[in-house]
Amino acid sequence: MSVLSLSVLLRPTTRRLVPQSLSVLIKTQRSFSQTFQPTNAVILSKLTRFEYERIRNHELDDDELKTLMLERGSDYYGLKARHSRHIEIMSHVESQLQNRGIRTKVVSRANYSGESLKGADLIISAGGDGTFLLGASKITTPDLPLLGVNTDPERSEGYLCLPRKYSLNFGKALDKLLSGDMRWFLRKRIRIIMSGKHANDQPVQLLDQQLSSPEFRFSEHVREHELHSSPSTVAKQQPNRVLPVLSLNDVFIGESLSARVSYYELSIDGAPTVGQKSSGLTVCTGTGSSSWHFNINCLQPQDIREILRIAKDKTDLDIPYKDKDLVRCIYSKFNKSLYFSPTSSKMAYTVRDPVHTGMYRVSEPRGFAHRLNIRSKMWDACLVIDGGVSFQFNDGAEATLEMHDEDVLKTVQLD
């Protein structure tokens, strides 16, 4: 898979919009009688854009890197300042933990693994929502809490993190946590069971591949040629495999090259399998319902006005389609209906840009499900978890998506 293809899948975490209205859906449990006394904390540090540039251009010295970035129009000084800000806040978090007798270990994203979590009773992501999702990806038990600290509070909302006021006053947040003046919040996650072809393939960390791979614009066509030209072999039946990563936000299934149509077979809650062609399928949790799912399905005021105008023309009713308050009310009501609680046991699926022909028709391009089964009929496809971990999902691969209570992620919420 080329870096060009990966850029389609690496969605900016800044697009993960969570409105305040979503808070009314959240059911939490406040603990006053029990205190939380961690002894070992792991701090996961994000990879800043400045660090990314340094790694990608490791052969350059500081002055050469500065010249390169300025010549291409990058905000060199801003990126460097935000990197320094990240280090400052992360050091603040570390010192506050140590001041309260909690042993700490700082881990970079490159070294973050299940092994680095051994012995830890608290994980802290230092970054934004993307770092929080990475932190969640290695947690496989419901009793290891994850706490997010936004290290760029001036520019990033960090919706999955603690409120921004705690970024520079982490000591206050930590005192609340240790005294029990907080809420445990159990976010549901998606379990993925793979079978058939690629069931035992190793995942690709998309950002790591961007760091190490050159860009080949036409590698997708080379890949397709290889698939058509290679001798046909009968694949051995592969046993089912539960993927080692749970999805906290969303799962994308489709062709790696966005311009290519995705072809697959879909069964919803045990219903008969239906063949579909589209731009891919997304499946999200309640946590992810305010992210890609929202951006795919939300309506704009222009859409509302045009629908109301058509309704007026077809019904001869006096519908004030130019009324801004009416349009705003409908726009807000519909878009808010796309959100659902992160504690919900249902998944929301969306068929992106469904193809409607005589053979293919999608009756309900979006909806809810407790179980989804997808069988690939694609050439160079992938199954991407939370925008960061990709598994091959070519012809013959099959995935079942479910939710289980034991897969929840334990998180912390403070006022």
Side-chain angles (χ1 to χ4, degrees):
M1 189 187 303
S2 73
V3 174
L4 178 64
S5 302
L6 296 177
S7 65
V8 177
L9 305 174
L10 282 168
R11 308 184 306 285
T13 56
T14 53
R15 291 174 57 192
R16 304 181 185 277
L17 306 177
V18 179
Q20 290 183 351
S21 59
L22 184 59
S23 63
V24 301
L25 299 174
I26 294 176
K27 298 178 181 179
T28 56
Q29 180 179 2
R30 183 177 294 274
S31 170
F32 291 104
S33 59
Q34 294 184 346
T35 58
F36 177 55
Q37 299 296 328
T39 57
N40 294 283
V42 170
I43 303 174
L44 170 63
S45 173
K46 79 172 183 179
L47 178 71
T48 68
R49 175 64 185 275
F50 188 79
E51 288 177 289
Y52 176 86
E53 294 288 353
R54 167 54 63 203
I55 296 171
R56 283 298 302 268
N57 301 283
H58 57 86
E59 73 283 359
L60 303 180
D61 61 28
D62 291 343
D63 290 337
E64 290 171 334
L65 177 63
K66 175 181 175 181
T67 300
L68 172 68
M69 293 178 66
L70 290 174
E71 285 180 347
R72 73 173 186 225
S74 297
D75 183 9
Y76 172 83
Y77 296 104
L79 293 175
K80 189 173 182 180
R82 289 192 288 278
H83 170 72
S84 299
R85 182 68 157 169
H86 165 73
I87 298 299
E88 175 190 352
I89 293 178
M90 190 173 65
S91 298
H92 167 68
V93 169
E94 185 178 14
S95 65
Q96 292 300 313
L97 288 165
Q98 292 174 344
N99 289 345
R100 289 159 179 79
I102 302 173
R103 291 185 290 272
T104 63
K105 177 173 65 173
V106 177
V107 179
S108 67
R109 63 163 292 123
N111 296 319
Y112 185 63
S113 65
E115 186 69 22
S116 59
L117 302 186
K118 287 186 176 180
D121 40 27
L122 174 64
I123 310 299
I124 298 175
S125 66
D129 287 344
T131 311
F132 188 95
L133 291 172
L134 175 62
S137 70
K138 304 300 181 184
I139 299 176
T140 57
T141 61
D143 55 354
L144 179 58
L146 173 63
L147 184 153
V149 177
N150 186 356
T151 59
D152 190 10
E154 290 81 12
R155 292 172 52 90
S156 169
E157 289 292 339
Y159 292 108
L160 295 174
C161 302
L162 295 179
R164 286 180 289 182
K165 63 183 179 181
Y166 293 119
S167 294
L168 300 177
N169 191 5
F170 183 71
K172 183 176 180 180
L174 192 54
D175 288 338
K176 283 177 170 285
L177 178 67
L178 298 179
S179 66
D181 184 16
M182 47 76 173
R183 295 180 296 273
W184 290 122
F185 188 43
L186 306 182
R187 295 177 181 269
K188 289 295 186 73
R189 296 192 286 180
I190 299 173
R191 179 188 298 185
I192 303 153
I193 304 167
M194 287 270 281
S195 60
K197 190 176 181 182
H198 305 301
N200 295 304
D201 288 359
Q202 293 302 307
V204 174
Q205 298 287 340
L206 297 185
L207 183 57
D208 293 345
Q209 189 174 64
Q210 274 198 322
L211 286 169
S212 61
S213 301
E215 182 176 358
F216 295 107
R217 291 186 178 272
F218 303 103
S219 66
E220 292 86 1
H221 303 288
V222 174
R223 172 67 175 158
E224 184 176 7
H225 172 74
E226 291 172 349
L227 285 165
H228 280 296
S229 305
S230 59
S232 120
T233 57
V234 178
K236 295 181 179 180
Q237 183 66 33
Q238 299 289 342
N240 292 351
R241 174 198 180 199
V242 177
L243 296 189
V245 182
L246 296 165
S247 173
L248 176 61
N249 233 34
D250 48 41
V251 178
F252 169 79
I253 297 174
E255 288 281 0
S256 303
L257 183 63
S258 60
R260 180 178 288 138
V261 174
S262 299
Y263 176 30
Y264 51 88
E265 296 176 344
L266 174 66
S267 172
I268 301 171
D269 288 333
T273 298
V274 177
Q276 294 184 349
K277 285 188 175 182
S278 69
S279 295
L281 179 75
T282 66
V283 184
C284 77
T285 64
T287 297
S289 66
S290 56
S291 180
W292 202 4
H293 169 79
F294 177 85
N295 290 316
I296 295 171
N297 293 294
C298 69
L299 293 179
Q300 300 301 323
Q302 180 183 359
D303 303 321
I304 304 295
R305 285 194 300 270
E306 292 180 0
I307 292 172
L308 291 177
R309 179 182 59 77
I310 294 171
K312 180 179 184 298
D313 293 342
K314 294 297 183 181
T315 62
D316 292 328
L317 295 175
D318 186 19
I319 301 176
Y321 66 91
K322 293 183 179 180
D323 187 322
K324 292 183 179 180
D325 290 336
L326 175 63
V327 169
R328 187 181 302 110
C329 178
I330 297 173
Y331 160 83
S332 176
K333 188 174 183 63
F334 175 83
N335 288 343
K336 285 180 181 179
S337 72
L338 298 172
Y339 309 125
F340 61 103
S341 173
T343 64
S344 173
S345 295
K346 61 186 178 182
M347 302 174 288
Y349 67 87
T350 301
V351 180
R352 299 175 64 218
D353 311 320
V355 173
H356 295 282
T357 66
M359 292 182 61
Y360 300 99
R361 183 163 294 277
V362 179
S363 59
E364 295 186 1
R366 63 182 177 86
F368 293 101
H370 291 94
R371 191 172 191 268
L372 293 167
N373 184 267
I374 306 99
R375 184 174 180 83
S376 174
K377 298 292 183 181
M378 295 173 277
W379 295 116
D380 185 22
C382 53
L383 183 154
V384 183
I385 300 174
D386 290 345
V389 183
S390 176
F391 294 83
Q392 285 193 74
F393 198 69
N394 295 331
D395 190 20
E398 190 169 344
T400 300
L401 280 62
E402 304 171 334
M403 282 186 165
H404 296 264
D405 290 340
E406 60 267 30
D407 293 337
V408 295
L409 179 71
K410 189 175 187 179
T411 63
V412 177
Q413 290 190 333
L414 302 176
D415 293 326

